[in-house]
Amino acid sequence: MDPLQMAHTGPRKKRARPMGASMATTPQDIKFQDLVLFILEKKMGTSRRAFLMELARRKGFRVENELSDSVTHIVAENNSGSDVLEWLQVQKIKASSQLELLDVSWLIECMGAGKPVEMTGKHQLVVRGDYSASSNPSPQKTPPPAVKKISQYACQRRTTLNNHNNIFTDAFEILAENCEFRENEGSYVVFMRAASVLKSLPFTIISMKDTQGIPCLEDKAKCVIEDIIEDGESSEVKAVLNDERYKSFKLFTSVFGVGLKTSEKWFRMGFRSLSKIRTDKTLKFTEMQEAGFLYYEDLVSCVTKAEADAVSVLVKEAVWAFLPDAFVTMTGGFRRGKKVGHDVDFLITSQGSTEEEQQQLLHKVLNLWKKEGLLLYSDLIESTFEKLKLPSRKVDALDHFQKCFLILKLHHQRIDNSKSSQLQGKTWKAIRVDLVMCPYECHAFALLGWTGSRQFERDIRHYASHERKMILDNHALYDKTKRIFLKAGSEEEIFAHLGLDYIEPWERNA
Ligand code: DCT
Ligand code: MG
């Protein structure tokens, strides 16, 4: 049976569990002001109703908890129109002729489309002349959506930012982060892969049947999906969000320069808040952490696309002042089309300059910004790149390019005013910026590596080694069978060497 048909197969009351408070209280943006929905609990069950209410609210629909005069659409499952009218009579509510009585199949189609779909005869509930019949007219079934085989590798899936399964992927990302904090690499990978595959689906998962044939979903992940479908939330996620260690690590690692080791230390010392840590006389901070605390508020607030564009102008101006032929490309999440990020990443390369000129460039750029008072923090790491060295076999290995991790002062006047998030009184914002300088021969590999997402990078490297006997990293692609390096001047050529269809940057949000 197909997923949409499954929605018609009756109440799901396997386990009657109380609803979490988060369900009704999550504020959601209403996108479709003209519609006010009410979902009938009768014959549907509490938890399924709550799940559908939460899902619809997430998609921007206004869904009322109680039936009121403002309701324009009543959605019911396994009820005829007469059943619904009878129920309304019992509630002493007079149905206006404007009120739409709809089968749940309409709502499910709306969820899939992400917007209200046209109401047709198959959705409208049948009202018999005498109102008395209670049997359910079998609603017309929608044909099953064509299911293409989904690859286990993110580099063979197209994953845009249009995620139909946030409700599940948000849960997986919290669980993965918790595993990361507990250095449980195995489970971290399980949850990240599950989140990644669900992000690529063109439909919302509504029942467990929908998960059939989807790779990368281990039992652990399926249990979470089942919990959310049945109860509207995952008890495991709820427990993690209340967990002392998770909460502390989340807080500590939000400071630039604080990783797992430092978080562990502070947690063991009994710290639970940043204010206590900031003011503790016995603690020693690295220069990075000092900067992290100093610019904390700016750095935890996301970088917008407008801010990233303003930084891009700043970077290009500085780079071109010293190497006018240099290529400067914004990479990372913004290249994948994200509207916000935690930093702005750039890849710089140049064809016509000497090795010496290339090596000096970042030093000159930093000096210029220092003079201009824009450099709030910098950490420059020299290249350890060696030509003809075999690529790294480790999928998470860092690259050997010269790079710097910075905090730049971005004056609000540099941001396109209409989009600026200027705070009153403050004329600038501290922004995290990463600059990477790579030799021209490597730029396609470096661009592919720095565009991400992390899961996409992991999977394309796994794919290269497991499916093609090749080793791919940010510097090169090596064919182990032929024992040769495969050259590439563009990302398209790398995909072609690997025998992969080209995936655009905005389809790499795995
Ligand atoms: N990258 C990677 N492996 C790492 C770190 C980074 O493959 N260990 C790649 C993937 C993305 C790119 O570098 C930039 O990294 P981030 O800035 O951390 O990620 P992002 O996708 O740009 O996301 P954000 O919006 O948080 O900056
Ligand atoms: Mg980034």
Side-chain angles (χ1 to χ4, degrees), residues 402-461:
Q402 184 194 41
K403 56 176 80 69
C404 50
F405 305 112
L406 310 172
I407 301 177
L408 284 187
K409 183 186 261 191
L410 179 69
H411 286 288
H412 284 139
Q413 72 215 36
R414 296 195 66 105
I415 309 166
D416 179 354
N417 257 339
S418 58
K419 296 174 202 155
S420 132
S421 56
Q422 186 164 349
L423 297 170
Q424 270 185 340
K426 199 156 166 276
T427 60
W428 56 272
K429 180 178 171 184
I431 309 255
R432 273 275 301 111
V433 176
D434 287 346
L435 303 181
V436 180
M437 182 79 201
C438 78
Y440 189 75
E441 318 83 78
C442 308
H443 78 273
F445 297 100
L447 183 59
L448 178 61
W450 275 88
T451 297
S453 68
R454 280 166 202 234
Q455 194 58 40
F456 188 90
E457 300 304 326
R458 275 168 165 262
D459 279 10
I460 196 167
R461 290 172 197 198

Side-chain angles (χ1 to χ4, degrees), residues 332-333 336 338 340-343 345 398 449-454 457:
R336 301 197 307 274
K338 278 176 62 175
V340 289
H342 95 281
D343 66 358
D345 309 286
L398 284 176
W450 275 88
T451 297
S453 68
R454 280 166 202 234
E457 300 304 326

Side-chain angles (χ1 to χ4, degrees), residues 194-289:
S196 173
V197 75
L198 293 201
K199 285 180 189 176
S200 75
L201 299 180
F203 59 89
T204 306
I205 289 178
I206 287 169
S207 79
M208 286 314 283
K209 266 268 161 109
D210 301 347
T211 64
Q212 275 179 10
I214 300 177
C216 316
L217 288 184
E218 297 200 7
D219 287 348
K220 264 200 267 222
K222 282 198 173 152
C223 283
V224 175
I225 298 179
E226 195 165 18
D227 251 12
I228 296 176
I229 291 177
E230 289 186 359
D231 300 346
E233 64 181 357
S234 149
S235 49
E236 208 182 330
V237 171
K238 224 173 148 186
V240 165
L241 290 175
N242 281 316
D243 178 62
E244 196 76 349
R245 185 187 167 95
Y246 175 82
K247 285 193 285 187
S248 304
F249 271 59
K250 183 89 185 146
L251 187 65
F252 300 164
T253 55
S254 72
V255 180
F256 175 55
V258 178
L260 296 185
K261 244 174 62 189
T262 309
S263 298
E264 180 78 51
K265 192 176 91 184
W266 292 347
F267 184 72
R268 278 174 192 247
M269 288 172 80
F271 288 108
R272 297 293 180 266
S273 78
L274 290 181
S275 55
K276 285 265 161 55
I277 294 172
R278 258 178 186 185
T279 50
D280 191 279
K281 296 277 184 307
T282 62
L283 290 176
K284 280 212 165 64
F285 303 123
T286 63
E287 210 185 309
M288 208 180 213
Q289 291 161 355

